[in-house]
Amino acid sequence: MSAHLSLALPPRRWPLRRAVGLGLLLLVSTFSLLGPWLIGTDPAVQSLAHSLQPPNPNHWLGTDLLGRDVLARLAHAAQLSLGLALLAALSAAVPGVLLGLIAAWRGGAVERTLVLLADAVLSLPGLLLVLLLAALSPGSLGALYLGLSLSLWVEYFRVSRAAARPVLAGDAVQASRLLGFGPAYLLRRHLLPALAPLLGTLLPFSAAQAVLALAALGFIGVGVQPPTPELGSMMTEFLPFYAEASWLIAAPVALLMLLVLGMMLFVGEEMPE
């Protein structure tokens, strides 16, 4: 009886860990989507008479140096960061997966060329690539989006190529080809079922990477520019007041921590290498 219980414990523990991670990600996503609407406060409205107020019933997270509501700015910042990061991750997934499948399907010179292209992109750190594009167009959301997409597609390429190669060489695909089924059937029946779990794991990971990259760029002043609320720029604004108003810097930091913790719990050991 104990042997059966010990064998049953790991399957119970792992889904619970992923469920907690998914719950944290959904919590942050819900806050970013519904927060601005539920709070109903303009994040740009200033009131110097209410500067650096501590958390109170009117301002649940207090106010910043200009008297702006921190909770409202945090909700809009989360919406901007998550929306841009998710868009960049999805935009990177489409060409990354397609190129990975083409490389695994065609092989030969086509595969070598695509692998060489991916290695060339990997030779340049992703954050540096985003930084270069952001420097060409300071404060432009389009430049940040393009830089993030260009830096994220390689992971999708590598994962889809590695997963597709054994599937294409398997007996099931060979039998389908002998029976006369075309590429569309092979893609729908064999490749997509094999890729779906990996891509479902990689998508939140790359989206979280994009959020952290946006925050890092905003923190050093080359990302989204004020007065637009953004997590990294909010940290920069709040850092000089950490001694007298520590709740300010705690708000964006806590949101990023929840996002990273949710990503780590959800992805866990199933992250493809």
Side-chain angles (χ1 to χ4, degrees), residues 86-114:
L86 186 59
L87 180 61
L90 290 173
S91 299
V94 174
V97 171
L98 289 178
L99 292 177
L101 292 177
I102 292 173
W105 196 299
R106 297 296 300 273
V110 174
E111 183 177 20
R112 290 193 296 270
T113 301
L114 292 176

Side-chain angles (χ1 to χ4, degrees), residues 78-240:
Q79 187 179 77
L80 172 65
S81 297
L82 284 176
L84 188 60
L86 186 59
L87 180 61
L90 290 173
S91 299
V94 174
V97 171
L98 289 178
L99 292 177
L101 292 177
I102 292 173
W105 196 299
R106 297 296 300 273
V110 174
E111 183 177 20
R112 290 193 296 270
T113 301
L114 292 176
V115 170
L116 182 62
L117 176 62
D119 291 341
V121 175
L122 281 178
S123 65
L124 187 66
L127 190 58
L128 180 58
L129 178 61
V130 181
L131 180 61
L132 290 175
L133 291 176
L136 295 177
S137 183
S140 171
L141 293 179
L144 293 173
Y145 159 73
L146 179 61
L148 289 171
S149 299
L150 290 177
S151 64
L152 292 174
W153 74 270
V154 178
E155 289 299 324
Y156 291 95
F157 169 79
R158 297 175 64 190
V159 168
S160 59
R161 171 176 168 264
R165 292 184 69 181
V167 174
L168 291 173
D171 294 336
V173 171
Q174 299 303 323
S176 297
R177 285 175 170 171
L178 290 175
L179 291 174
F181 291 105
Y185 176 85
L186 298 179
L187 180 65
R188 184 181 69 256
R189 181 66 177 82
H190 300 288
L191 290 173
L192 289 183
L195 289 175
L198 298 176
L199 298 179
T201 301
L202 185 58
L203 183 62
F205 181 82
S206 59
Q209 278 185 311
V211 170
L212 293 175
L214 286 172
L217 293 173
F219 187 79
I220 62 177
V222 296
V224 179
Q225 298 299 306
T228 303
E230 192 274 328
L231 297 176
S233 61
M234 288 177 68
M235 294 181 195
T236 304
E237 294 173 0
F238 299 159
L239 190 58

Side-chain angles (χ1 to χ4, degrees), residues 46-78:
Q46 302 180 13
S47 177
L48 296 180
H50 300 90
S51 175
L52 295 181
Q53 283 191 349
N56 58 74
N58 294 325
H59 306 284
W60 288 9
L61 292 180
T63 59
D64 62 7
L65 181 64
L66 300 177
R68 298 173 296 191
D69 187 87
V70 174
L71 183 61
R73 291 185 63 79
L74 189 66
H76 282 80

